[in-house]
Amino acid sequence: MKQASIFLLEASPIFRSALRTVLSRIGTIVVLCGPIAVLEKYNRKLDAILVDAATFPGDDRELSELIERSSRFGPVVLLVREDRTDQIIAGF
C-alpha cells in the first residue's frame, strides 16, 4: 500500500502530535506541520493538506483564503471539531 504524504496545518502542538500519531498508524506520513508559510516554502504537491479550522484564529474570509492558498499543493481536508456551519461554508 502506498503511503499518503500530507501537510498538517494545525496550531495546537498537542493536537498536532496526536493527529500525527493516529495518521502514522494508518500508513500516512505527515511530511510537515506548521503555518501556511512552511507549506509554501516546501512547494511540492502532496496527497492532502489537513487544515484544522477549529484552531484557526482568523475570520471566515481569512479561512477561505488560507484554504485557497493551500489547495495549490494538493486537495484540502478541512477538520472542524465544533458545529461551526460558518467554518464549513468558508471551507467550501
Side-chain angles (χ1 to χ4, degrees):
M1 172 183 3
K2 177 185 179 275
Q3 292 185 325
S5 60
I6 65 165
F7 181 88
L8 182 55
L9 191 61
E10 165 61 53
S12 166
I14 294 170
F15 195 62
R16 187 170 52 232
S17 176
L19 274 174
R20 282 184 93 138
T21 300
V22 170
L23 291 169
S24 70
R25 289 183 184 158
I26 61 169
T28 302
I29 299 172
V30 177
V31 293
L32 289 170
C33 298
I36 187 71
V38 173
L39 176 60
E40 290 174 332
K41 286 180 184 174
Y42 186 68
N43 197 25
R44 292 190 186 152
K45 288 288 186 181
L46 297 163
D47 293 314
I49 292 85
L50 271 65
V51 177
D52 184 7
T55 62
F56 182 71
D59 62 24
D60 295 341
R61 181 186 52 76
E62 290 177 66
L63 177 60
S64 180
E65 289 173 6
L66 176 72
I67 291 168
E68 185 176 330
R69 286 172 62 191
S70 300
S71 68
R72 293 182 292 151
F73 304 100
V76 175
V77 177
L78 182 63
L79 303 175
V80 180
R81 292 184 267 163
E82 300 172 12
D83 190 14
R84 295 277 313 270
T85 307
D86 58 325
Q87 287 181 334
I88 295 169
I89 291 170
F92 284 116

